[in-house]
Amino acid sequence: MRKLHVALVAACLCLPAAAATADLIPVETFARHANMSMPRLSPDGKHIALRVDDGSDHALVVYAVDDMSHPLSMLRMPVNEVPADMYWVSSTRLVVEKGKQFGSIDEPQRTGEILATDVDGRHQDYLFGYQSGYGTRSDTRQGDDGWGEVDGLPDKANNHFYLGAHPWNDDNRDRSQIYDIDAVKNVRHLIGDIGVGQMSFLVDPDGKVGFAYGTDNNFDYVAYRFIAGRWAQLQAGKYFAPFATASDRQHVYAFYSAHGGPDQLIEQSLDGADRKVLAQDDFGSVHNVQWTAPPLQPFAVITATGTPRAIYVDPNLPAAKLYMAISQKFPGEFVDFINFSEDGHELLFSVRSDRDPGTYYLIDTEHYKVVRLFQSAPWIDPAKMAERVPMRFKASDGTELEAILTVPNGGSMNNLPMVLLPHGGPHGVSDGWFFDGDAQFLASRGYLVLQVNYRGSGSRGSDFVQAGYLKWGTRIQQDLIDGVKWAEQQQYADPNRVCVYGGSFGGYSALMSVIRAPKLFKCAIGYAGVYDLAMMYKKGSIGADTLGKNYLTAVIGKDDAALAANSPDKLADQIDVPVLLIHGEADERVPFAQAKAMRAALDAAHKPYEWMSKSGEGHGFYTEANNVDRLNLMQTFLDKYIGKGTATP
């Protein structure tokens, strides 16, 4: 782990990037991954736990707050496995949700395993998961036939946490359970059980289960209250996700939507009789609750669309005033309170923006002394990055959509060469204002970048997400096409110099959009893309189990003719622009067979294309050298077909 330690020291010391020899920002700047992320402050305020990544090496690392130069302890993870999330259950004990990450554009996929470690790295234990032979009770407990997640913590840290368990076996698949876990003794106590799969739970301050909620195995949203010894289903058709009990223990805080629109923050009594909206936004949802020090109370939420802004629940609370004061010190940036120490004397917070990937700070709330801990990506110079501008436009059917334009530095936003950059997912995912490496790279090369939150995207409520179901190749693509036409009508983009590039579902859209809109684009780049919809049922991790197959049935359907009519590899003869295909040969999310099928279809249709594949790479390239090759090839490809960008020397 020597190289991992070197990476840690460099990140902590915030080493500056080497000066560029030319005005053009080096490709290597955009090919690197953040070394340190996901920090959490211990309840006593003396330690910071965080995730550290360096190539295929991943670890949970603990530092003493007063000495960030050397780690106190390290929980090493196997190759491609990561700490997906972590929780302090006391000032000396950490619980970790284990995950796997197979590529740079893949979110960590939780494995359902829960680990624990002491602050000094001792007594590392396996608390829940399918493996056996690990931990202090391995001689008396076999592996769990199920998937686990942390569903909450007691109000005061006492070495316990609440674990939601989801059985895998067919007899219990439609079942969700909640346990009180002693993370030191590795002892569990069942406190709730409901005959509905995939539920999350809210446990009250007395350790009693109050609510279960979530999307069931059929992808219908449901919510239940536990009352008088039984589960009572709440009114169907409403989104209700309770996440905390109020200090009076008679009310709960929840995200709520009565009719499928944007999520609101509400407070209501346990029986829902006096529901009160605390914060809302007419266009998008609110999210990212900002909390006071214990006893926890929400003082603000953040808008999920547009340039993020705080909507205050109670601006007179001391934490709200502190938030306002810190925000004034960082104009143009977004402040996020991560967590306080239990006594409220220490606060861990981050600051980030559209140009800045983020910096983490610790503030002494008694003396207002601020210490900068580390930068997420110290090699990024925010002053050289491009502005990201959220805007809105109307699609061809009149629906208002959000667009985000990343504007190259040094010129006006007028008649620019443009790259359409569709996001992956597609459902429940959205592009936001914050730093985006792909968009910043393209803007650094002088291209205007357009990102559209098409129907199916998140951040605008369940109706908007479901409006993209069964419309992958139709309405979603039309939303993207409408966005390009809007940018051209506004004279932001040069109609003769537009290309499309995307990864994962964005790779699918890159090929599908040029099929749906002949002559609108000059080229297309598909990166780790899906090109054969029917293949998703047979190959790749999504369709590998019953739940995944149910998801595919809901979002793409099972009609063979419809799948073929919306698969780029079946429509290759309609592609009239040069194509670049990029794929990792070890991709488990979207297997390499997808890229090979698209290549074969282009060959059969005698269409021009370029190709890059890398062995050992998963869903998105992870190796820095491979990402340098990818970005250089993309730059050359774009230069060939839509010319050099305006800012390129």
Side-chain angles (χ1 to χ4, degrees):
M1 300 293 285
R2 182 179 299 241
K3 65 175 181 175
L4 184 57
H5 175 65
V6 171
L8 280 170
V9 173
C12 282
L13 296 177
C14 303
L15 296 178
T21 57
D23 291 334
L24 194 65
I25 301 171
V27 170
E28 288 78 5
T29 299
F30 301 98
R32 300 177 67 176
H33 299 287
N35 296 107
M36 307 171 73
S37 61
M38 213 166 63
R40 304 286 188 270
L41 180 66
S42 64
D44 62 5
K46 295 181 179 180
H47 296 95
I48 297 280
L50 48 86
R51 170 180 162 177
V52 175
D53 306 279
D54 185 49
S56 60
D57 292 320
H58 308 278
L60 179 150
V61 178
V62 178
Y63 285 94
V65 166
D66 57 6
D67 182 10
M68 291 285 290
S69 61
H70 292 86
L72 178 66
S73 66
M74 184 180 298
L75 174 59
R76 304 173 184 180
M77 310 296 287
V79 174
N80 292 328
E81 295 189 358
V82 299
D85 210 340
M86 64 188 77
Y87 306 83
W88 288 96
V89 295
S90 72
S91 294
T92 59
R93 190 79 168 154
L94 277 155
V95 165
V96 184
E97 289 185 308
K98 189 175 167 186
K100 291 185 178 181
Q101 187 162 2
F102 296 105
S104 60
I105 60 176
D106 203 12
E107 290 293 321
Q109 303 298 306
R110 286 170 168 79
T111 63
E113 300 170 272
I114 311 296
L115 313 177
T117 180
D118 282 354
V119 67
D120 59 5
R122 298 180 181 179
H123 303 116
Q124 295 180 1
D125 214 347
Y126 191 82
L127 302 184
F128 188 93
Y130 60 89
Q131 299 188 56
S132 60
Y134 293 89
T136 59
R137 291 174 60 88
S138 60
D139 57 336
T140 60
R141 178 178 297 148
Q142 296 181 344
D144 296 289
D145 187 19
W147 191 93
E149 62 182 342
V150 176
D151 259 356
L153 304 172
D155 279 3
K156 288 190 174 294
N158 61 0
N159 283 315
H160 286 243
F161 70 98
Y162 304 119
L163 179 138
H166 309 278
W168 284 337
N169 62 75
D170 290 338
D171 291 340
N172 290 306
R173 185 177 294 274
D174 293 328
R175 169 159 247 89
S176 301
Q177 300 168 315
I178 182 83
Y179 291 91
D180 181 334
I181 305 285
D182 185 324
V184 173
K185 297 179 180 178
N186 197 352
V187 173
R188 63 183 71 164
H189 174 59
L190 183 67
I191 58 175
D193 192 343
I194 184 172
V196 183
Q198 309 307 311
M199 294 294 98
S200 296
F201 295 89
L202 176 65
V203 182
D204 70 21
D206 297 321
K208 297 178 181 178
V209 179
F211 294 89
Y213 60 95
T215 304
D216 64 17
N217 290 337
N218 295 317
F219 292 92
D220 294 322
Y221 190 85
V222 292
Y224 300 84
R225 182 187 175 202
F226 192 71
I227 182 170
R230 66 180 185 88
W231 289 103
Q233 185 169 358
L234 304 181
Q235 185 173 348
K238 296 184 177 182
Y239 176 76
F240 174 70
F243 58 84
T245 303
S247 57
D248 66 3
R249 303 195 180 190
Q250 301 302 312
H251 291 77
V252 293
Y253 299 110
F255 288 116
Y256 176 80
S257 173
H259 306 292
D263 301 343
Q264 306 168 322
L265 174 67
I266 66 161
E267 180 182 4
Q268 68 170 49
S269 60
L270 298 177
D271 62 5
D274 57 351
R275 183 176 298 124
K276 178 171 65 173
V277 176
L278 301 179
Q280 63 181 332
D281 181 68
D282 291 338
F283 183 77
S285 298
V286 296
H287 68 158
N288 194 0
V289 177
Q290 302 293 305
W291 296 95
T292 68
L296 297 176
Q297 182 178 348
F299 68 80
V301 288
I302 310 302
T303 54
T305 58
T307 303
R309 60 185 174 86
I311 300 177
Y312 291 95
V313 176
D314 186 347
N316 295 314
L317 289 172
K321 293 180 179 179
L322 178 61
Y323 185 91
M324 294 177 198
I326 294 175
S327 296
Q328 289 176 356
K329 298 293 184 181
F330 296 96
E333 299 199 77
F334 170 76
V335 174
D336 187 20
F337 281 10
I338 299 173
N339 71 308
F340 285 88
S341 59
E342 261 189 355
D343 61 11
H345 294 167
E346 302 288 340
L347 166 64
L348 175 66
F349 69 94
S350 67
V351 176
R352 56 197 175 108
S353 73
D354 55 342
R355 297 178 171 102
D356 180 4
T359 305
Y360 295 89
Y361 298 86
L362 194 68
I363 182 172
D364 177 339
T365 60
E366 292 186 304
H367 305 96
Y368 300 104
K369 178 182 178 182
V370 178
V371 177
R372 188 174 74 164
L373 299 176
F374 65 91
Q375 290 175 266
S376 178
W379 51 88
I380 295 289
D381 182 355
K384 295 182 178 180
M385 296 296 112
E387 181 182 9
R388 288 168 59 76
V389 185
M391 303 179 79
R392 297 180 193 174
F393 70 95
K394 287 190 176 180
S396 52
D397 66 352
T399 300
E400 193 171 29
L401 300 176
E402 181 181 40
I404 298 174
L405 291 168
T406 306
V407 186
N409 289 333
S412 63
M413 193 167 67
N414 184 52
N415 208 37
L416 296 172
M418 186 175 79
V419 178
L420 170 67
L421 179 57
H423 65 70
H427 301 294
V429 179
S430 60
D431 287 313
W433 171 78
F434 292 105
F435 185 90
D436 183 304
D438 272 341
Q440 289 291 351
F441 167 71
L442 293 167
S444 77
R445 268 54 192 167
Y447 299 109
L448 177 68
V449 181
L450 169 65
Q451 294 167 284
V452 176
N453 284 320
Y454 46 75
R455 265 160 278 202
S457 302
S459 301
R460 292 185 63 185
S462 59
D463 281 358
F464 194 78
V465 172
Q466 293 172 15
Y469 284 11
L470 305 178
K471 302 211 173 68
W472 281 26
T474 53
R475 186 67 248 181
I476 288 179
Q477 302 312 312
Q478 189 59 51
D479 284 351
L480 292 166
I481 291 164
D482 290 344
V484 173
K485 292 179 178 179
W486 163 78
E488 293 176 353
Q489 290 165 359
Q490 300 300 312
Q491 298 184 347
Y492 301 145
D494 180 349
N496 296 311
R497 302 178 66 190
V498 179
C499 187
V500 55
Y501 153 66
S504 196
F505 178 83
Y508 167 85
S509 290
L511 275 292
M512 205 67 211
S513 60
V514 302
I515 293 168
R516 296 298 186 220
K519 310 304 181 185
L520 189 67
F521 302 95
K522 299 301 180 184
C523 59
I525 305 173
Y527 177 38
V530 174
Y531 308 115
D532 184 332
L533 297 186
M535 188 188 295
M536 296 181 73
Y537 283 99
K538 303 170 185 176
K539 296 182 179 181
S541 61
I542 297 176
D545 57 24
T546 301
L547 191 62
K549 286 183 171 63
N550 289 348
Y551 169 78
L552 291 176
T553 299
V555 301
I556 64 174
K558 297 195 72 172
D559 181 83
D560 290 339
L563 294 174
N566 292 285
S567 293
D569 71 328
K570 303 299 188 293
L571 306 169
D573 61 332
Q574 299 180 37
I575 295 175
D576 60 1
V577 300
V579 169
L580 170 59
L581 297 177
I582 306 173
H583 217 102
E585 296 176 13
D587 193 337
E588 295 188 12
R589 172 66 57 177
V590 179
F592 189 42
Q594 289 276 359
K596 291 193 290 185
M598 193 68 235
R599 178 176 62 178
L602 292 169
D603 280 332
H606 305 290
K607 299 293 184 177
Y609 68 90
E610 297 183 35
W611 175 266
M612 172 181 279
S613 67
K614 295 287 187 179
S615 63
E617 290 286 8
H619 196 48
F621 294 176
Y622 201 92
T623 305
E624 182 175 334
N626 287 340
N627 272 312
V628 169
D629 290 346
R630 174 179 65 86
L631 295 174
N632 277 325
L633 179 59
M634 286 172 50
Q635 181 176 337
T636 301
F637 185 81
L638 293 170
D639 185 7
K640 185 186 301 184
Y641 295 109
I642 59 174
K644 289 184 179 295
T646 57
T648 305

